[in-house]
Amino acid sequence: MSPALDYDMLLNHLGNDRELAVEILKVFLNDGPDRLGSFKEASSSHDQKLMIKFSHSLKGIAATIRAGRLSNLAERAEKFSRDHELEEAADLYPELNMELERVLKEIDEVITA
């Protein structure tokens, strides 16, 4: 399986500023799980507006750190939510969670390296 995080691409985007990259990744360590948790809560209550908001937000922050698969999954959840296919969006949660765990593990490896 390919890496969950394209750290080289992130570094390149940031002009090879490792300190800034690590700072951004540390922010994601808190924000990523919070956004996915909020998406899950919104899914449980079938709150379409919040499902769209939190899947869109997760998509954006995942793209920022170059976590491509997580961003793509969040984009699918956002599309399902926008299309009133709330069950399909909610069904992506386990896959989103698994991919988030992979991203978090790789971030930890980068930060502690």
Side-chain angles (χ1 to χ4, degrees):
M1 184 174 266
S2 63
L5 175 70
D6 191 336
Y7 182 64
D8 291 336
M9 186 182 287
L10 175 62
L11 266 181
N12 185 38
H13 179 72
L14 298 174
N16 292 316
D17 186 338
R18 178 173 162 56
E19 195 173 305
L20 179 58
V22 167
E23 205 167 304
I24 290 169
L25 293 173
K26 284 180 178 178
V27 169
F28 183 89
L29 286 175
N30 292 319
D31 287 357
D34 286 350
R35 306 233 175 127
L36 184 57
S38 296
F39 172 78
K40 183 179 182 184
E41 287 177 26
S43 298
S44 296
S45 62
H46 303 292
D47 187 327
Q48 181 193 20
K49 185 176 179 182
L50 288 178
M51 288 174 74
I52 292 168
K53 175 183 177 178
F54 291 117
S55 57
H56 177 80
S57 179
L58 181 60
K59 174 186 74 173
I61 63 172
T64 297
I65 66 162
R66 304 310 190 255
R69 185 164 188 274
L70 181 59
S71 181
N72 290 339
L73 285 167
E75 181 176 33
R76 285 178 53 206
E78 180 185 8
K79 182 179 180 339
F80 280 136
S81 298
R82 286 188 189 282
D83 292 344
H84 301 278
E85 297 175 19
L86 303 184
E87 289 301 319
E88 288 82 351
D91 287 347
L92 287 173
Y93 175 78
E95 198 172 353
L96 283 160
N97 191 54
M98 192 176 346
E99 189 61 19
L100 177 64
E101 290 301 319
R102 288 183 63 226
V103 170
L104 296 176
K105 181 177 183 241
E106 289 184 23
I107 289 173
D108 187 54
E109 291 169 5
V110 166
I111 290 173
T112 59

